[in-house]
Amino acid sequence: MINPAMYSSPLKTFLSETTESILGKLTSAHTQTLQNNATRAWASEVALLKQALATFQPNNAHIFIEMYIPRVGRRADVILVLEGVIFVIEFKVGTKQFYSADIRQCHGYALDLKNFHKGSHDKVIIPILLATQAQETQTTLTIDSDKVARVICASPNNLLSTINHVLEKIERTRIDIQTWLSSGYLPTPTIIEAAQALYSSHNVADITHSEADKTCIVTTSKKINEIIEYSKNNKRKSICFVTGVPGAGKTLVGLNIASQHSSADDALYSVFLSGNGPLVSVLQEALAKDQKNSIKIAIKDARRKTEQMIQNIHRFRDTHLDGSTPPEKVAIFDEAQRAWNKEQASSFMQKKRNIPDFSMSEPELLIEFMNRHDDWSVIVALIGGGQEIYIGEVGLSGWIEALEHRFSHWDVYYSNKLFDGNYITDGLSTKSFPQAKSIAGLHLSTSMRSFRAEHLSNAIHHLVDGDTLATKSEIHHLKNQYPIYITRDLKKAKQWIRGQQRGNESTGIIASSGALRLKPEGIFVKNEIEPRNWFLNDFEDVRSSNFLEDVATEFQVQGLELDWCLVAWDADYRYINDCFEHWQFKGSKWQRRKSLDNQRYLKNAYRVLLTRARQGMVIFVPNGTPEYITRAPRFYDNTYNYLLSCGIEPLTT
């Protein structure tokens, strides 16, 4: 069911009710301290709506003021259901102009209703941006194929004529309000949106895509909380390994636990740890900006709070090298299988931290930190698969070895799917956990990454493996749900991406960190970008991903997503003689990647790149340059033809 609005009533009731009564209901429904300008804005909106809608008396019309949109964590000013049409009206009180950011916001509300509210899937949705001080505007109605109109900019003087113009053009139907309200609202938030919602104390069940997602995530969260409570009450030290299919919400579960207990005064004080620097940086900044805007605190204070709840594992490590006990009783470690092995950790600590006798893996060190608590502590290790892109990643064996040799007194709980072959098990089996307990609820089985692409993960898995027939079968299932195109023309690729983007949907160019010979195309993977700027800055900012200038690599985008991606494919991962070859560009020439680990990292880099788009992507494969041996056309032609044979259609517009 869609979340209720702060004010909801049949249109007839709204028109006859006094403004004071309506404002009283809005004020009493508001959970935060109101500023005078908020109540003045509501008064202005109500008066304007009463005047514009006074002539409408249909029995089934309904008006909602301040309706919560769960995925974006905001409230739409007004949703008017009138004669079979859903109007989303966003007010900008005291504003004379129509700013692009406001247009995107209004469009975004309409798109969210269309995509995630079941009762709105087949309805016409008209977003209207109303600037209360604007001059009268001309109404232009453009409706896309999914029945969502482009934003209409209106003034108070022509709101009535705008609505009438739409109703004249649209075939009128009837919407049963109760049926519409009670139909499912099944959002698929990005990890950034999910983190913002959880940090603002929203329930994790409200931001899941389906009942299956909700059941899975709520069950797993409940199981982890039960382990934490048991450990606290019985003064036990425990570790639990949580698994999940790609995009199932492991990070979401971890953030849910951390956000519930983010205060140092909480007996279950928790911290979310990750070795993924860009992910940590982007989440910290996104939460800080959201707090700054919603509760009006200084950005430095907001950052201080979010940097406590979400930390880079390396910062956490360095903080407690002095022998201190972490203040947090629960540590959630995202992508725990990617922690450093003993060789990588020891080399770093000896050379960079001047600790000559250091000889531990990261898992051993983290357990040692949490073991310093006198009474109890818990580590939640979130385990994924197929995402290893760095050297020195330990896999599951590093955790098991540490538990077996130094921390055998710890209780161990693990997912019953941990050893089914989809995770980094290094030949391990259940025999490696003789004293551990297998729990079915510690596995997330339903992918919620893309609301359009349930088959995407399987398709990309087969594609990077070079399996043409299996890829083609999965691509066929994506038809009409998730567009994937291929082109040799970068300009056309950018045009297509820009043409797909609506509202606040994000776009960006991504490429392998080894794609050094894309430089002649204007794609510079060696240029440094700041992930916070790339993912979070305004559309008009040249540092933003949406500007389609700066390119991000697998290292910056892993764990994060965009709506529409342009994936640039270089000759580092080239398809030759019916299989993929692994290359790296060093100095002035291509060299083979001989190490099996390096080959795996490259394949996984392309796996990461090809699964970042939530709604669709275009793959750009250059033509090459005949006169340059490092860009020989044959390096690219075979890859292009392979992708075509997999069922990816060429971009024609």
Side-chain angles (χ1 to χ4, degrees):
M1 179 175 179
I2 194 168
N3 287 45
M6 289 168 59
Y7 174 89
S8 168
S9 82
L11 182 58
K12 273 187 176 181
T13 303
F14 169 79
L15 293 173
S16 61
E17 190 172 356
T18 65
T19 299
E20 289 73 20
S21 173
I22 296 171
L23 291 177
K25 291 177 180 178
L26 285 168
T27 302
S28 63
H30 204 281
T31 58
Q32 297 177 355
T33 303
L34 282 173
Q35 302 291 328
N36 288 334
N37 55 356
T39 53
R40 285 198 298 268
W42 283 336
S44 176
E45 292 168 16
V46 169
L48 200 156
L49 288 166
K50 279 178 168 289
Q51 181 180 358
L53 302 175
T55 60
F56 289 105
Q57 295 295 324
N59 292 326
N60 66 327
H62 211 91
I63 189 168
F64 305 87
I65 301 178
E66 296 288 339
M67 178 173 274
Y68 182 64
I69 307 293
R71 189 181 80 93
V72 295
R74 298 287 185 272
R75 292 187 178 275
D77 286 343
V78 174
I79 292 180
L80 174 66
V81 182
L82 181 65
E83 299 190 24
V85 178
I86 300 170
F87 293 90
V88 178
I89 307 174
E90 187 66 16
F91 284 83
K92 295 302 172 184
V93 176
T95 302
K96 297 180 180 180
Q97 298 180 0
F98 302 98
Y99 296 102
S100 56
D102 297 334
I103 292 173
R104 289 194 296 270
Q105 177 190 20
C106 184
H107 206 171
Y109 290 151
L111 290 168
D112 265 34
L113 280 177
K114 168 62 64 173
N115 290 326
F116 306 118
H117 181 230
K118 189 175 181 181
S120 303
H121 285 342
D122 60 346
K123 304 298 188 293
V124 176
I125 303 179
I126 310 294
I128 297 175
L129 178 64
L130 195 148
T132 61
Q133 299 299 315
Q135 299 297 313
E136 188 165 331
T137 59
Q138 183 175 356
T139 301
T140 302
L141 179 62
T142 302
I143 301 180
D144 290 322
S145 59
D146 60 357
K147 296 185 180 180
V148 177
R150 299 287 167 145
V151 175
I152 299 173
C153 295
S155 68
N157 292 333
N158 71 336
L159 177 59
L160 174 61
S161 62
T162 296
I163 293 173
N164 280 327
H165 176 75
V166 170
L167 295 178
E168 289 170 4
K169 298 291 184 181
I170 301 299
E171 183 178 347
R172 302 186 186 192
T173 59
R174 186 179 185 277
I175 296 178
D176 181 84
I177 294 298
Q178 290 307 314
T179 302
W180 181 78
L181 271 177
S182 61
S183 65
Y185 189 93
L186 308 173
T188 305
T190 66
I191 192 61
I192 295 172
E193 292 165 340
Q196 289 171 327
L198 293 173
Y199 197 58
S200 299
S201 301
H202 295 299
N203 193 308
V204 68
D206 292 335
I207 54 175
T208 51
H209 177 52
S210 67
E211 288 303 320
D213 296 338
K214 184 182 297 186
T215 301
C216 208
I217 286 178
V218 170
T219 298
T220 301
S221 297
K222 182 180 177 182
K223 289 292 183 184
I224 296 171
N225 280 322
E226 287 174 358
I227 291 170
I228 293 172
E229 284 288 347
Y230 176 84
S231 301
K232 178 176 75 72
N233 294 336
N234 293 276
K235 300 189 184 313
R236 302 293 299 172
K237 290 172 181 173
S238 307
I239 184 168
C240 54
F241 294 94
V242 180
T243 57
V245 300
K250 295 185 296 297
T251 303
L252 180 60
V253 166
L255 287 170
N256 183 39
I257 295 168
S259 64
Q260 289 174 350
H261 308 291
S262 61
S263 170
D265 298 327
D266 194 320
L268 306 181
Y269 185 30
S270 304
V271 61
F272 180 89
L273 303 171
S274 173
N276 184 337
L279 174 67
V280 169
S281 172
V282 170
L283 289 179
Q284 287 175 341
E285 187 68 5
L287 296 186
K289 286 184 174 180
D290 196 52
Q291 288 286 290
K292 172 182 176 291
N293 294 330
S294 60
I295 62 175
K296 309 300 181 186
I297 65 173
I299 188 65
K300 65 177 182 179
D301 295 328
R303 284 175 179 150
R304 190 180 303 114
K305 290 175 60 181
T306 61
E307 287 170 4
Q308 285 300 114
M309 186 186 95
I310 300 173
Q311 293 185 32
N312 191 304
I313 181 62
H314 305 309
R315 174 194 165 187
F316 184 84
R317 175 202 65 203
D318 291 350
T319 300
H320 301 295
L321 285 173
D322 60 0
S324 61
T325 301
E328 301 88 357
K329 303 300 291 268
V330 180
I332 303 114
F333 193 3
D334 197 25
E335 296 289 350
Q337 81 286 349
R338 297 185 55 209
W340 286 352
N341 59 27
K342 182 182 290 187
E343 292 73 23
Q344 182 76 5
S346 298
S347 174
F348 178 87
M349 299 300 282
Q350 291 167 13
K351 295 176 182 178
K352 301 293 186 180
R353 295 294 181 265
N354 197 28
I355 306 177
D357 57 347
F358 189 93
S359 181
M360 279 192 283
S361 67
E362 253 185 347
E364 184 178 358
L365 185 61
L366 180 60
I367 300 174
E368 198 274 324
F369 284 167
M370 298 304 289
N371 193 57
R372 294 174 186 171
H373 286 283
D374 292 331
D375 46 4
W376 71 277
S377 62
V378 174
I379 294 174
V380 180
L382 307 175
I383 305 291
Q387 300 283 299
E388 309 79 50
I389 57 178
Y390 284 98
I391 62 171
E393 294 176 346
V394 70
L396 186 58
S397 62
W399 293 90
I400 295 176
E401 183 179 331
L403 289 165
E404 182 181 3
H405 294 139
R406 286 196 58 197
F407 305 102
S408 58
H409 60 288
W410 276 56
D411 296 335
V412 180
Y413 304 86
Y414 66 95
S415 156
N416 63 339
K417 299 290 186 181
L418 191 63
F419 298 102
D420 68 358
N422 291 318
Y423 305 96
I424 308 174
T425 57
D426 303 307
L428 302 170
S429 69
T430 53
K431 295 179 181 178
S432 306
F433 282 109
Q435 306 300 323
K437 184 177 181 180
S438 170
I439 299 179
L442 294 182
H443 178 72
L444 294 157
S445 59
T446 306
S447 177
M448 56 178 287
R449 173 165 287 156
S450 171
F451 63 89
R452 290 186 179 179
E454 294 180 2
H455 293 274
L456 180 64
S457 292
N458 286 337
I460 300 308
H461 171 77
H462 295 308
L463 187 150
V464 298
D465 274 349
D467 190 334
T468 307
L469 292 178
T471 305
K472 193 169 186 177
S473 174
E474 296 292 345
I475 292 290
H476 176 75
H477 290 297
L478 292 173
K479 290 269 176 104
N480 303 319
Q481 294 181 338
Y482 185 99
I484 306 177
Y485 292 103
I486 187 170
T487 183
R488 316 298 295 268
D489 188 324
L490 182 59
K491 183 178 180 181
K492 282 186 178 180
K494 288 185 178 183
Q495 288 174 341
W496 183 81
I497 286 285
R498 290 191 173 107
Q500 304 309 305
Q501 190 273 333
R502 295 183 297 172
N504 282 312
E505 293 172 351
S506 56
T507 63
I509 304 175
I510 56 180
S512 157
S513 57
L516 300 183
R517 295 309 294 138
L518 291 177
K519 189 185 294 185
E521 307 289 343
I523 297 174
F524 304 100
V525 297
K526 287 299 184 182
N527 275 11
E528 289 293 325
I529 68 167
E530 172 51 64
R532 291 184 301 179
N533 296 332
W534 200 78
F535 278 100
L536 301 176
N537 282 17
D538 294 337
F539 279 60
E540 293 78 12
D541 192 320
V542 297
R543 298 167 295 176
S544 164
S545 68
N546 300 286
F547 224 75
L548 298 184
E549 285 190 1
D550 287 336
V551 59
T553 71
E554 70 272 19
F555 296 124
Q556 284 99 31
V557 301
Q558 188 173 41
L560 295 159
E561 300 164 315
L562 298 169
D563 286 298
W564 303 94
C565 284
L566 193 167
V567 182
W569 199 305
D570 201 8
D572 52 341
Y573 199 50
R574 65 184 78 157
Y575 194 79
I576 304 288
N577 297 326
D578 297 326
C579 66
F580 276 109
E581 293 182 355
H582 309 76
W583 295 80
Q584 56 190 343
F585 195 77
K586 286 193 172 183
S588 62
K589 61 183 180 181
W590 290 106
Q591 297 179 5
R592 286 270 196 174
R593 292 181 183 236
K594 296 180 181 179
S595 160
L596 292 179
D597 282 342
N598 283 336
Q599 292 178 11
R600 178 163 56 93
Y601 297 147
L602 179 61
K603 181 166 80 169
N604 284 338
Y606 274 85
R607 189 197 310 275
V608 167
L609 296 171
L610 292 164
T611 53
R612 292 310 93 192
R614 290 161 50 84
Q615 299 200 46
M617 64 179 149
V618 57
I619 300 171
F620 165 63
V621 181
N623 287 303
T625 309
E627 56 268 30
Y628 297 149
I629 188 62
T630 58
R631 283 176 51 83
R634 61 187 173 85
F635 294 167
Y636 303 97
D637 292 344
N638 289 336
T639 301
Y640 178 78
N641 290 329
Y642 163 71
L643 295 174
L644 287 177
S645 71
C646 288
I648 301 176
E649 297 182 0
L651 186 64
T652 57
T653 56

